[in-house]
Amino acid sequence: MAKRILNVVTNVGHYDDPSHPTGLWLSELTHAWQVFEDRGFEQSIVSPQGGPAPLEPRSLKFPSYDRTSKAWRDDPGRMVLLENTLRPDQVDPADYDAIYFTGGHGVMYDFPDSEGLHRITRGIFEQGGIVSSVCHGYCGLLNTRLSDGSYLVAGRKVTGFAWQEEVLARVDKLVPYNVEEEMKKRGARYEKARLPFVSYVVADGNLVTGQNPGSAKETAEKVAGLLQSSR
């Protein structure tokens, strides 16, 4: 029976200042989707509210806008998937072997406090499935608690978009909070690469996290390897 992956995307299309658009960083979905597809995994897409997932304009420009992203945007069938994402209440965690949180700055607003996403993530994690994220996707893990009330990330190694990278991307004045610091406040053992924007992935048991957009493929490959070894 094929392994099943639940990809998570944002519904938010701008920062607090509506004149600054944001959304899903497309390659963080497409790179992972390709890895999972090549392994024969079944995939679905969910968002906090269901329905359309806006795209981050900066992810549609060089160098982020690569072959996989272009192919996705040129495929009407794939784009429909981002127009009709599932709502959390349509998802049974028991149906999935792994969850993968994509990034883009929109997730900073709607991932952390989504009770529906918390329920799904906790269910997958506690049934022995894999919880994973890339870049800002780890905002979806900030407030997820396990059945015993503890934070899922407490005491566990994680990585995700670093504050230094926010500064270098010139969005440090736009973001609503410093997610690297918020992760540390929840007891996570945050790690990052020595150099910004290079691929960096951390695995701690069935928790797998990647630091930035360039880490999406490596993150997915790690998730795929763990899933295939669990057969």
Side-chain angles (χ1 to χ4, degrees):
M1 187 173 176
K3 299 289 187 178
R4 299 194 67 193
I5 312 283
L6 184 64
N7 299 278
V8 191
V9 298
T10 186
N11 299 117
V12 175
H14 61 77
Y15 292 89
D16 287 319
D17 180 347
S19 68
H20 290 280
T22 184
L24 162 67
W25 197 276
L26 185 57
S27 66
E28 293 175 15
L29 173 66
T30 62
H31 287 183
W33 188 282
Q34 187 69 55
V35 169
F36 298 146
E37 191 171 65
D38 288 347
R39 302 303 197 284
F41 300 159
E42 295 179 7
Q43 299 185 73
S44 303
I45 304 178
V46 69
S47 62
Q49 300 297 322
L55 300 181
E56 161 65 64
R58 295 209 299 182
S59 74
L60 307 179
K61 298 177 182 178
F62 179 84
S64 299
Y65 195 44
D66 62 3
R67 181 177 53 81
T68 62
S69 296
K70 290 175 183 175
W72 186 289
R73 283 192 83 203
D74 289 341
D75 184 338
R78 292 283 168 94
M79 290 303 290
V80 164
L81 295 176
L82 291 177
E83 286 295 318
N84 299 281
T85 65
L86 296 169
R87 299 188 312 271
D89 63 7
Q90 295 175 300
V91 174
D92 183 348
D95 291 338
Y96 292 91
D97 301 285
I99 188 169
Y100 170 75
F101 287 86
T102 63
H105 285 90
V107 310
M108 299 187 78
Y109 297 91
D110 63 349
F111 277 13
D113 298 318
S114 171
E115 292 294 339
L117 293 182
H118 295 171
R119 174 186 63 83
I120 296 166
T121 306
R122 177 171 54 251
I124 291 173
F125 190 78
E126 292 185 340
Q127 70 195 18
I130 296 170
V131 170
S132 62
S133 67
V134 71
C135 200
H136 288 90
Y138 75 143
C139 293
L141 308 179
L142 270 178
N143 297 326
T144 301
R145 293 181 182 271
L146 301 177
S147 295
D148 64 5
S150 65
Y151 284 115
L152 187 154
V153 297
R156 293 186 169 90
K157 295 188 294 184
V158 302
T159 190
F161 208 62
W163 184 250
Q164 179 191 18
E165 290 170 320
E166 303 279 25
V167 173
L168 292 172
R170 298 181 180 178
V171 292
D172 54 303
K173 301 295 194 297
L174 293 174
V175 294
Y177 51 87
N178 180 335
V179 61
E180 176 184 334
E181 284 304 313
E182 291 300 319
M183 262 296 164
K184 294 174 182 175
K185 289 178 183 176
R186 285 153 179 76
R189 296 157 59 196
Y190 178 83
E191 299 181 3
K192 61 184 176 184
R194 291 183 179 179
L195 296 174
F197 300 114
V198 299
S199 181
Y200 188 74
V201 176
V202 171
D204 190 332
N206 55 334
L207 177 63
V208 180
T209 50
Q211 184 175 329
N212 45 43
S215 309
K217 182 178 179 181
E218 186 181 349
T219 302
E221 287 173 342
K222 183 64 177 178
V223 171
L226 289 172
L227 286 175
Q228 290 176 319
S229 68
S230 67
R231 284 178 177 172

